[in-house]
Amino acid sequence: MTISRRPLLLGAVVAAGTLAATSLPASAASATGGSHSKPKPTVVLVHGAFADASSWSAVASRLQKAGYTVVAPANPLRGLTSDAAYISAILKTIDGPKVVVGHSYGGAVITQAAAGDASVKALVYVAAFVPDKGEQLGELGARFPGSQLSDALQPLPDGAGGTDLAIQTAKFHAVFTADLPAATSALLGASQRPISAAAFTDVATAAAWRDIPSWAVVAAHDRAIAPDLERFEAKRAGSYTTVVDSSHVVMISHPDLVTKVIKSAATATS
């Protein structure tokens, strides 16, 4: 695991059991005030494509034990425009400060959904898409080699005349969950939720990371989103970044690490 630094105020964050020097965004540093007596923010966990909210179970349970209120909404997976509008509406129902976390496609959703929401104090991207305004996920995903996702997808009817996409079950383990037991991977593949093909062609209309401090977990052995893309996105967003030897489902295979990154983001911006 490696940790990168942001070029601003120096602080200290615990990640994966190691005390590492890091720097905080100006907006986060000003919010710390040297005290963490304020109530903990609500952590909102947004899942990605081919998954559901249960993919966050291991992280959610750890956060709850640490005293955090956790909300893990069902991401509709109907396209970036409508999914972001839905998650934005969910965020508005939650009182107080929030740390919003997105895995995979969920990263794109929170990037748009959290834009302009002053109650969102930090964004955490976990093996995620992190688009800028005007970008499409299909184009973004093709910028760097390393993803095997497109060759593993199969089209399905969506019941309304459109097209859904799912991962072929024979390729699910290799592309999505390579560091999980085969039996666990088989169950996840069998219960995967397809995503609308529109998710990869919708144009992002906002980029919350331009105004909200962000943290990123890069999965070094990801075959769904190219690790080099994840690194590029994290650098572009100025995210405090942790790199871990993991498949795409890092929140399942490394829940302790992901939990620590989320807690670091919550502490730094409270």
Side-chain angles (χ1 to χ4, degrees):
M1 181 197 73
T2 58
I3 300 173
S4 69
R5 297 182 177 182
R6 299 175 63 104
L8 295 175
L9 182 67
L10 289 183
V13 174
V14 177
T18 302
L19 187 63
T22 183
S23 50
L24 300 179
S27 54
S30 63
T32 59
S35 172
H36 300 299
S37 60
K38 296 180 181 179
K40 289 181 170 67
T42 297
V43 179
V44 181
L45 303 170
V46 180
H47 68 83
F50 321 115
D52 59 30
S54 68
S55 61
W56 287 113
S57 293
V59 170
S61 65
R62 285 162 171 77
L63 289 169
Q64 288 176 333
K65 289 177 182 177
Y68 289 90
T69 298
V70 178
V71 177
N75 188 354
L77 306 182
R78 295 298 85 202
L80 182 57
T81 302
S82 61
D83 293 344
Y86 175 76
I87 295 299
S88 178
I90 292 294
L91 293 177
K92 289 178 172 61
T93 70
I94 303 169
D95 293 333
K98 292 172 275 291
V99 172
V100 182
V101 186
H103 172 246
S104 189
Y105 167 70
V109 173
I110 69 170
T111 294
Q112 188 157 312
D117 190 335
S119 70
V120 178
K121 303 304 180 182
L123 302 168
V124 181
Y125 294 104
V126 180
F129 281 115
V130 188
D132 200 355
K133 182 178 179 180
E135 292 180 340
Q136 296 174 309
L137 298 190
E139 181 276 330
L140 185 60
R143 288 188 190 179
F144 294 87
S147 172
Q148 300 175 14
L149 181 62
S150 60
D151 291 337
L153 293 176
Q154 61 177 345
L156 299 171
D158 70 354
T163 301
D164 273 354
L165 298 172
I167 299 176
Q168 300 171 47
T169 55
K171 297 182 179 181
F172 193 87
H173 180 70
V175 172
F176 212 68
T177 56
D179 56 354
L180 297 185
T184 302
S185 183
L187 287 173
L188 293 173
S191 61
Q192 66 176 293
R193 288 182 56 210
I195 187 171
S196 172
F200 295 96
T201 56
D202 284 351
V203 177
T205 60
W209 51 262
R210 290 191 169 275
D211 302 302
I212 301 172
S214 62
W215 278 250
V217 178
V218 172
H221 302 298
D222 200 335
R223 296 172 187 164
I225 298 177
D228 283 346
L229 174 58
E230 295 175 22
R231 291 185 179 93
F232 162 79
E233 294 170 325
K235 182 177 180 180
R236 178 172 69 173
S239 304
Y240 174 87
T241 303
T242 301
V243 179
V244 60
D245 291 333
S246 175
S247 73
H248 187 60
V249 290
V250 60
M251 69 289 189
I252 300 176
S253 58
H254 297 274
D256 288 331
L257 181 144
V258 173
T259 301
K260 287 178 180 177
V261 172
I262 294 170
K263 290 166 68 177
S264 294
T267 300
T269 55
S270 296

